[in-house]
C-alpha cells in the first residue's frame, strides 16, 4: 500500500504523512485540554481504495501546584505545571498573613504568573524582612486562584520563615510549676544568650479567644536581645476550667518563679506581665492582684459586663450570648452571671498600690472595643495608679501594627523605665 494519511480536526487538516512499509507516522501539535474528535483518512492508490475513521483524543488539563517551603532570606517560590501546554497558562497569586505579617516579616506579593507554551515552571519572588528577631515558627501562605488553561492541584502552600542568625536567647527550658486536674502546667523560660543574670523577667501570658494558652507567637521574645528573660506561662483552658482557674494558675506560676528565681537567673523584684487579647486581659488581672511590678495590656478586656454595650458597629460578636468568649470564660452567660462577670473584670480591682500599667488598644478593634481599655484607664487613674493609655487610630485587633517597631518601642520605653536600674554614677571629689 502507498499514498497519504491525513489527520483532520473540525474539517481542517492538522497533519499528514506518507505510507511506508504499510504504515504512516504523523506528529500533531499539542492540543488544548478537552476532548477532540479527529478524522484519519487514507487517500488510496491504484491498488487500494481510500478510507477513513474517527478517533477521540482526550487531553487532560495540566495542573498547577505550589509546595510548602522554608525561607531564610529573599527567595523565589516555584509554581509548577504538571505538563507542557500548547496554550498560554495564567494563574493569579497572593500572599496571606499567618503568624508572619506582611510589611513586618515579609513583603506582600500579588500578581499573575504566565506560562508560555511549553513552559512548566514559574517563580514568585518573595522578600523576607532583614533584621527580624527570630520567633517560633512564623509563617504565611501563598494562594493560587483564577487559573486559565490549567487546573489548580495545590492552591495553597505554607511559607515558614527561619533565620540564618542565632536567636538572642538560649535553648528554651520548660518547667512544670504545678499540676492541676492531673495536667502538668508549664512555664517555658527563654534566657538571654549573653550574660548570667539576674535578669528582669517578662511573663508572657499567651491566649486567644478560647483562653487556652495555645497561641504560638511570643511577641516578647525580641526583648531577650535587650537583656530581659522571658517566660511563657501555660494555664488551664476555659473549656475545662472556668475562671478564676486561669488567674489562680498564673498566680501559682509567679510564686514558683519567685521561689526559684536564683536558680533561673531572674530578679524576683523585677517581674512584668505582658499579653495581647486574652493574654492582655489576664495580665491586667494579674497586675491588679499585685503579683507583678509592671503590666503591658494589648487589647484586653477590662469590664466583662460592659463588653456588648461598648462594642463598635463593626463587631460580629454577641458578648452576652452563651457561646461568646466571655461567657465561656466565666462558665455562664454574661447577662445571667453578674458576679462572675465582675470577678473577671480588672477594672473592678483598680486600687492604690496597683503596679504601673501600659494599655495599648486599636482604635478600630472590632473584637474588643477600645472603650474597654478606656474604662480600665479611668478606673486606674481615679485610684491614683500610674497608668498610660495609647489608642492606635485605624488599627484592629490583629493588625500588623502589633508586630511593628512602633508598637515595641512604646513597650520597651515603659519596661526599661520601670525594670532596668539607672546607670551608676561614680562620685568624683574635686
Amino acid at each position: 500500500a502507498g499514498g497519504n494519511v491525513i489527520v483532520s480536526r473540525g474539517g481542517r487538516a492538522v497533519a499528514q504523512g506518507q505510507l511506508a512499509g504499510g504504515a504512516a507516522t504523523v506528529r500533531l501539535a499539542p492540543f488544548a485540554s478537552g476532548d477532540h474528535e479527529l478524522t484519519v483518512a487514507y487517500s488510496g492508490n491504484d491498488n487500494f481504495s481510500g478510507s477513513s475513521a474517527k478517533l477521540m483524543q482526550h487531553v487532560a488539563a495540566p495542573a498547577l501546584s505550589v509546595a510548602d517551603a522554608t525561607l531564610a532570606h529573599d527567595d523565589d517560590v516555584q509554581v509548577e505545571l504538571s505538563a507542557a501546554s500548547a496554550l498560554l497558562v495564567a494563574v493569579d497569586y497572593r500572599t496571606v498573613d499567618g503568624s508572619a505579617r506582611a510589611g513586618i516579616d515579609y513583603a506582600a506579593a500579588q500578581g499573575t504568573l504566565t506560562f508560555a507554551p511549553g513552559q512548566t515552571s514559574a517563580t514568585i519572588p518573595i522578600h523576607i524582612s532583614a533584621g527580624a528577631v527570630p520567633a517560633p515558627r512564623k509563617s504565611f501562605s501563598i494562594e493560587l486562584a483564577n487559573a486559565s488553561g490549567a487546573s489548580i492541584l495545590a492552591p495553597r502552600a505554607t511559607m515558614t520563615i527561619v533565620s540564618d542568625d542565632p536567636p538572642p536567647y538560649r535553648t528554651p527550658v520548660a518547667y512544670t510549676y504545678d499540676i492541676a486536674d492531673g495536667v502538668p502546667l508549664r512555664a517555658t523560660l527563654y534566657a538571654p544568650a549573653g550574660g548570667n543574670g539576674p535578669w528582669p523577667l517578662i511573663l508572657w501570658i499567651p491566649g486567644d479567644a478560647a483562653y487556652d494558652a495555645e497561641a504560638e507567637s511570643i511577641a516578647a521574645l525580641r526583648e531577650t536581645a535587650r537583656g530581659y528573660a522571658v517566660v511563657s506561662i501555660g494555664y488551664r483552658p476555659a473549656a475545662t476550667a472556668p475562671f478564676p482557674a486561669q488567674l489562680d494558675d498564673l498566680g501559682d506560676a509567679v510564686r514558683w518563679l519567685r521561689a526559684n528565681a536564683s536558680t533561673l537567673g531572674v530578679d524576683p523584684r523585677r517581674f512584668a506581665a505582658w499579653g495581647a487579647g486574652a493574654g492582655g486581659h489576664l495580665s491586667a488581672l494579674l497586675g491588679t492582684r499585685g503579683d507583678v511590678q509592671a503590666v503591658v495590656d494589648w487589647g484586653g478586656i477590662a469590664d466583662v459586663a460592659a463588653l456588648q454595650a461598648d462594642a463598635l458597629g463593626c463587631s460580629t460578636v454577641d458578648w452576652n450570648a452563651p457561646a461568646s468568649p466571655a461567657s465561656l470564660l466565666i462558665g455562664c452567660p454574661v447577662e445571667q452571671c453578674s458576679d462572675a462577670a465582675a470577678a473577671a473584670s480588672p477594672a473592678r480591682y483598680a486600687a492604690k498600690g496597683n503596679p504601673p500599667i501600659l494599655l495599648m488598644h486599636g482604635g478600630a478593634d472590632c473584637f474588643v472595643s477600645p472603650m474597654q481599655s478606656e474604662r480600665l484607664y479611668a478606673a486606674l487613674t481615679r485610684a491614683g495608679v500610674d497608668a498610660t493609655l495609647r489608642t492606635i487610630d485605624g488599627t484592629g485587633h490583629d493588625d500588623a501594627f502589633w508586630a511593628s517597631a512602633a508598637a515595641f518601642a512604646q513597650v520597651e520605653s515603659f519596661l526599661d523605665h520601670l525594670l532596668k536600674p539607672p546607670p551608676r554614677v561614680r562620685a568624683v571629689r574635686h
Side-chain angles (χ1 to χ4, degrees):
N4 293 327
V5 172
I6 299 174
V7 180
S8 302
R9 182 181 63 165
R12 180 180 178 183
V14 293
Q16 67 176 357
Q18 288 283 332
L19 279 172
T25 300
V26 298
R27 183 176 296 277
L28 305 180
F31 292 155
S33 59
D35 292 320
H36 303 270
E37 184 181 73
L38 307 179
T39 299
V40 183
Y42 168 52
S43 61
N45 63 10
D46 292 342
N47 300 312
F48 292 89
S49 299
S51 63
S52 67
K54 300 292 185 182
L55 173 67
M56 290 301 299
Q57 177 77 12
H58 176 74
V59 179
L64 292 156
S65 61
V66 58
D68 294 348
T70 299
L71 308 174
H73 44 69
D74 292 358
D75 207 346
D76 290 334
V77 175
Q78 297 287 329
V79 178
E80 302 292 343
L81 190 62
S82 62
S85 173
L87 304 176
L88 186 74
V89 172
V91 64
D92 295 339
Y93 68 86
R94 65 168 186 150
T95 54
V96 180
D97 280 358
S99 54
R101 304 291 184 86
I104 304 300
D105 303 299
Y106 71 99
Q110 184 173 351
T112 301
L113 285 181
T114 57
F115 295 74
Q119 181 182 351
T120 58
S121 180
T123 58
I124 300 172
I126 297 295
H127 173 70
I128 302 299
S129 300
V133 174
R137 313 307 294 174
K138 277 197 171 185
S139 63
F140 64 97
S141 298
I142 291 179
E143 286 186 350
L144 304 180
N146 304 321
S148 61
S151 62
I152 300 178
L153 177 64
R156 186 180 181 108
T158 299
M159 305 291 115
T160 301
I161 300 175
V162 297
S163 175
D164 288 335
D165 300 323
Y169 49 83
R170 304 175 190 184
T171 301
V173 181
Y175 298 93
T176 298
Y177 70 83
D178 199 1
I179 295 179
D181 302 328
V183 177
L185 299 176
R186 309 287 191 191
T188 303
L189 180 68
Y190 300 80
N196 295 310
W199 301 287
L201 181 64
I202 296 173
L203 286 71
W204 176 255
I205 314 300
D208 54 20
Y211 286 83
D212 61 5
E214 293 299 323
E216 292 183 359
S217 180
I218 305 175
L221 278 185
R222 63 181 284 137
E223 304 309 321
T224 56
R226 304 180 59 256
Y228 288 89
V230 174
V231 61
S232 180
I233 303 176
Y235 50 83
R236 284 172 287 174
T240 59
F243 188 86
Q246 297 71 34
L247 186 57
D248 291 342
D249 293 345
L250 293 173
D252 290 343
V254 172
R255 286 186 287 275
W256 184 89
L257 289 165
R258 284 211 167 92
N260 293 276
S262 59
T263 302
L264 302 174
V266 300
D267 186 342
R269 300 164 300 174
R270 295 186 289 164
F271 281 16
W274 179 6
H281 177 196
L282 294 173
S283 295
L285 283 165
L286 197 62
T288 53
R289 202 169 75 165
D291 287 338
V292 293
Q293 282 71 52
V295 173
V296 178
D297 174 359
W298 279 3
I301 291 170
D303 188 335
V304 174
L307 278 164
Q308 190 60 33
D310 289 347
L312 299 182
C314 56
S315 175
T316 59
V317 180
D318 179 0
W319 286 101
N320 292 328
S324 79
S327 295
L328 295 176
L329 173 66
I330 64 176
C332 62
V334 169
E335 284 188 315
Q336 299 175 22
C337 301
S338 57
D339 290 344
S345 300
R348 305 298 177 93
Y349 301 107
K352 188 174 180 62
N354 288 165
I357 182 167
L358 171 63
L359 302 167
M360 295 177 66
H361 214 121
D365 191 333
C366 297
F367 186 61
V368 177
S369 166
M371 276 293 298
Q372 286 284 299
S373 284
E374 292 176 22
R375 287 179 183 274
L376 181 53
Y377 175 73
L380 291 167
T381 52
R382 281 196 303 269
V385 178
D386 180 3
T388 302
L389 174 61
R390 297 280 185 264
T391 301
I392 302 89
D393 292 340
T395 296
H397 195 75
D398 293 313
D399 285 0
F401 170 81
W402 302 108
S404 71
F408 287 111
Q410 297 190 46
V411 174
E412 289 163 0
S413 175
F414 173 77
L415 293 178
D416 288 355
H417 174 70
L418 294 168
L419 301 184
K420 284 192 173 180
R424 293 183 178 180
V425 178
R426 184 167 57 91
V428 176
R429 178 176 292 179
H430 295 282

